[in-house]
Amino acid sequence: SLRRRNHRDDIGEKSLDRFELESQNFHKKVRDYYLKLSKEEPEKWLVLNAEAQPDDVFAELKQRLESLGWIS
């Protein structure tokens, strides 16, 4: 999301929302906190590589949810 935010900022897109207007430090803190939660309770959180192509992210998500029995 940081890369997407920075790209939108670079091209001068005016529709940044209040979270996208936050500093990179803010986004890093939020990300680090969610990664901490995912390590503390891995049964409740999935961490995905969102830099992959959207279809690949969806396929990985679907496969992991199926393997956990969260969807069939």
Side-chain angles (χ1 to χ4, degrees), residues 12-68:
E13 190 166 321
K14 304 270 189 258
S15 63
L16 298 177
D17 65 27
R18 94 180 159 97
F19 287 106
E20 292 170 322
L21 292 171
E22 291 287 348
S23 70
Q24 276 198 308
N25 188 49
F26 168 83
H27 289 281
K28 182 180 179 336
K29 286 180 182 179
V30 171
R31 181 179 189 276
D32 289 346
Y33 184 74
Y34 277 106
L35 290 174
K36 177 181 175 276
L37 290 175
S38 74
K39 287 179 182 164
E40 291 173 355
E41 298 181 282
E43 69 282 357
K44 292 184 179 181
W45 298 91
L46 294 176
V47 177
L48 302 172
N49 176 8
E51 292 183 359
Q53 293 297 315
D55 288 342
D56 296 334
V57 173
F58 177 76
E60 180 186 358
L61 174 61
K62 185 174 183 264
Q63 183 275 322
R64 291 182 60 194
L65 291 175
E66 288 172 344
S67 73
L68 292 166

Side-chain angles (χ1 to χ4, degrees), residues 1-11 16 20 24 27 31 49-52:
S1 70
L2 285 176
R3 189 171 297 165
R4 183 174 52 249
R5 177 216 174 265
N6 289 339
H7 173 72
R8 290 174 67 180
D9 197 30
D10 289 345
I11 63 173
L16 298 177
E20 292 170 322
Q24 276 198 308
H27 289 281
R31 181 179 189 276
N49 176 8
E51 292 183 359

